[in-house]
Structure formats: C-alpha cells, structure tokens
Amino acid sequence: MATFAKISDSNQVLAVVIVSDSDTQNAEGVEEESVGQAFLEKNNNWPAAMWIQTSYNTWQHTHSSGDNSKAFRGNYASVGFTWDADSEVFWPIKPFDSWVKHTETASWKSPIGDAPALPSEKQTQNNAKSHAWGYQWNETDKSWDLVDAVVPS
Amino acid sequence: MQKKVLTEQALYFGDVSMPKGFEINYYQLSHDTLQSNFTNEKFLFSRTWDMLNTYIREHINLKYTIKLINKDTWGTIYKPLEISTPLLNVDPVDLRNSPDYTLLYGVQVKDCSVRIHYDDNRRKGKSWDIPLTNNQFIMFPSTNLYYLTNTQKDSLNFVQTITYDYT
C-alpha cells in the first residue's frame, strides 16, 4: 500500500490517504507516484500535483527498518504539516515561533539547541519515580526550564 | 490573571478556493436543489457536493482543529425580494439529535445577506449581518437563529445548507 498526502494551495497537509498497490503501479507492475496521483485526481477530485507520496516508515530522516537510505521525504505526513517541494520534506508543525528548521533531522530545534541532560540528582529522583523532572521550553525567556511534572503522592 | 474560554460563538466564513479546474459546479448544485424541491425528496449526493463538503471539512480541521461530521444537507431556492422565515436548525426538545453547526453556501446568489441572532451575556437579541455571495460559505453554531434576506429583483437565489456535528 502507498500513502499520499493531500496538500492545500499553501502546501499544508489537508489529509493523508492510503492507496492500494494496484492503483499506484504502472503497466509493468512498478510503483510510480504519478500513477497514484492520477488515480487520486480521478477518484478524490483534487489535482494530481497536489497529492504527494509519503512514507509511513520515515520519521526525522530515519527509516524504521534502520536502513536510512530508505527514508523518504523527511517525515510521515500528517494534517497540518507543510510540504517543502524544494527540499522534498514534510515539515511538522512549528512548535514555537523562535524554533528553527534543522534540515539534517527534518525537525524543529530551539534556537539554543536541545535541552541539556538532567542533573544526576534529578535523574535519580526520576528513576525512583518520586519525581518526573524534565525540561520545558520557555518561549518568553528563550530558555529551557527545569520542571517537575509529577507531584509526589 | 488567567482566562479560560468555556464556549464561544464563532462565525467562520470565506471563499471556497478550489484548485483551478476543480471549481464547484454551481449548475449541478442548482439542478439538484430544483430536483429535490420539485420531487420533495432528499438532496442527491453528487461529486460536486462531495467536493464542497470535503473542502469545508478539511480546511476547518486544518485551520481550527474542528472535526466536522455530516448531519444533513438541503438546497433552498429564494425568490426575488424574499425574506426567509426565522430559521433554527436545532430542535429545542431534541438537542441530542440536533446539529452543532450550520453552514450556508452561496451556490448562485445575488444581493443576499444573512442575519444571525445571538446573545452576548445579558445583552439579548443582538444580531450580525453578513453578505452571502457566490462560492462563499458562512458557518455558525446551530443554536443561533438566522434568516436570509434576498433583495435581488430578477433571479432566483440558490443556497446550500449543510449541518454538522463536531468532535
């Protein structure tokens, strides 16, 4: 089966549909995106060029099989994602205004990078399940705040 | 100080901007409205109606994260200078089976406007007027009473109504 994302005129994903193999294969039985696009244009009333094939097994440029050469178009598309035809990537929804594109992983990163590692004492408390320390992005201060998500019982 | 919106009465409106070559076939919808009115039968499902309905559902979901579920649909014909009766698509004694939203779509309209009544807390009986033009939709809560005013002089106005639940 093949999966296609339906995109709007502003390249946002409106829907994701699954098409059977037989409707995406050419006369020689080889899967071709254009065959699936033509099928969808005819049956789902939306222009062929606005159906973009996506891969269920791809996330952040990695493939679930472990063979990243099979990774296809950055991320498995979902409603609200944005299709970037130039880089051939489905970009997830931007989580915060200040975050920037990280093309290597087809994901968004904070302007100061990933959250730091937890201090060892906090990690120990997490391991003991007495707390649930974690970093939460503070968009106002553009910083990672250390917060405890669980109130000990 | 914080704020929590418990409910809102929002009006969604805009053009149905279908891709070139996939425009809504107003002739088909008008024809189906006439047929359904003459035969007194349910509005026929058609590819054109499906395109309109899909466009609305997908774009409302994309922009406002409201998942609409179809409830009913019908087409209405308005004569020149006709003002509709006050319309309400919820049944006050059967709210369980009443729709959440009412959508009006201008199939083929001229000089048509919709007056939507609402309450603003203790300020009762307020109203909002919005014109309905060709290929434009207006969606609002079904609990709002509304009526259509048609001031065209020499043609019929065709308006498609679709009602929805939401999740």
Side-chain angles (χ1 to χ4, degrees):
Chain A
M1 287 193 287
T3 316
F4 285 79
K6 178 181 185 179
I7 59 167
S8 69
D9 52 5
S10 57
N11 290 328
Q12 285 187 287
V13 176
L14 291 165
V16 178
V17 300
I18 295 170
V19 179
S20 71
D21 287 339
S22 58
D23 294 320
T24 57
Q25 292 169 346
N26 62 19
E28 287 77 44
V30 180
E31 185 177 295
E32 257 183 41
E33 184 177 18
S34 60
V35 176
Q37 288 174 320
F39 172 83
L40 287 164
E41 175 173 304
K42 184 181 171 193
N43 294 288
N44 289 49
N45 310 312
W46 201 250
M50 295 171 84
W51 291 100
I52 311 293
Q53 194 167 1
T54 182
S55 162
Y56 179 79
N57 294 304
T58 301
W59 189 250
Q60 297 187 345
H61 275 322
T62 59
H63 195 267
S64 59
S65 67
D67 178 3
N68 291 339
S69 66
K70 293 181 183 171
F72 186 62
R73 294 177 172 167
N75 295 291
Y76 178 51
S78 185
V79 172
F81 281 30
T82 303
W83 168 243
D84 180 347
D86 294 332
S87 59
E88 293 235 332
V89 165
F90 284 103
W91 286 96
I93 297 166
K94 191 177 187 177
F96 298 98
D97 284 348
S98 67
W99 284 36
V100 292
K101 280 181 179 175
H102 188 254
T103 49
E104 287 80 9
T105 56
S107 64
W108 296 93
K109 298 272 188 195
S110 84
I112 59 170
D114 291 335
L118 281 175
S120 59
E121 78 209 61
K122 306 292 185 198
Q123 189 59 58
T124 306
Q125 290 174 346
N126 279 2
N127 294 344
K129 296 190 175 8
S130 62
H131 291 267
W133 293 103
Y135 283 99
Q136 185 174 290
W137 180 250
N138 183 328
E139 180 66 2
T140 308
D141 298 340
K142 308 283 184 290
S143 64
W144 289 104
D145 291 348
L146 187 58
V147 294
D148 185 3
V150 172
V151 177
S153 56
Chain B
M1 189 180 289
Q2 296 180 63
K3 175 187 173 184
K4 171 73 181 164
V5 177
L6 301 176
T7 185
E8 67 171 5
Q9 290 184 66
L11 186 59
Y12 305 89
F13 58 96
D15 292 327
V16 176
S17 305
M18 294 293 288
K20 195 168 165 48
F22 290 80
E23 293 85 358
I24 301 297
N25 182 347
Y26 69 88
Y27 179 80
Q28 168 88 55
L29 291 177
S30 306
H31 172 271
D32 291 346
T33 296
L34 279 168
Q35 184 167 335
S36 136
N37 276 266
F38 285 144
T39 59
N40 202 24
E41 287 180 354
K42 291 282 288 177
F43 188 86
L44 289 172
F45 177 87
S46 67
R47 174 171 281 221
T48 296
W49 181 87
D50 184 51
M51 286 164 70
L52 168 66
N53 180 53
T54 302
Y55 180 94
I56 297 292
R57 290 180 58 185
E58 289 179 343
H59 283 77
I60 292 283
N61 181 36
L62 175 68
K63 198 153 187 187
Y64 303 106
T65 332
I66 299 172
K67 294 189 191 317
L68 298 171
I69 301 162
N70 281 95
K71 196 84 176 162
D72 201 359
T73 188
W74 61 90
T76 311
I77 306 164
Y78 292 102
K79 298 190 290 284
L81 305 174
E82 180 177 349
I83 299 173
S84 76
T85 55
L87 301 162
L88 183 68
N89 292 326
V90 291
D91 181 348
V93 294
D94 188 14
L95 291 173
R96 186 187 178 89
N97 293 309
S98 295
D100 287 306
Y101 284 106
T102 295
L103 178 132
L104 303 174
Y105 172 74
V107 178
Q108 211 176 352
V109 288
K110 192 175 161 189
D111 303 329
C112 177
S113 83
V114 183
R115 174 164 288 185
I116 298 162
H117 288 264
Y118 65 99
D119 294 335
D120 177 13
N121 207 331
R122 68 184 172 83
R123 296 160 190 84
K124 306 289 183 191
K126 297 188 91 171
S127 64
W128 185 261
D129 292 319
I130 182 166
L132 182 64
T133 56
N134 284 338
N135 200 38
Q136 196 194 44
F137 75 91
I138 303 167
M139 191 176 87
F140 49 91
S142 291
T143 46
N144 291 110
L145 185 126
Y146 66 101
Y147 61 86
L148 286 90
T149 303
N150 301 275
T151 55
Q152 86 282 15
K153 292 186 176 62
D154 53 2
S155 58
L156 296 173
N157 278 350
F158 290 80
V159 176
Q160 188 73 30
T161 305
I162 309 178
T163 57
Y164 295 102
D165 284 347
Y166 77 94
T167 58

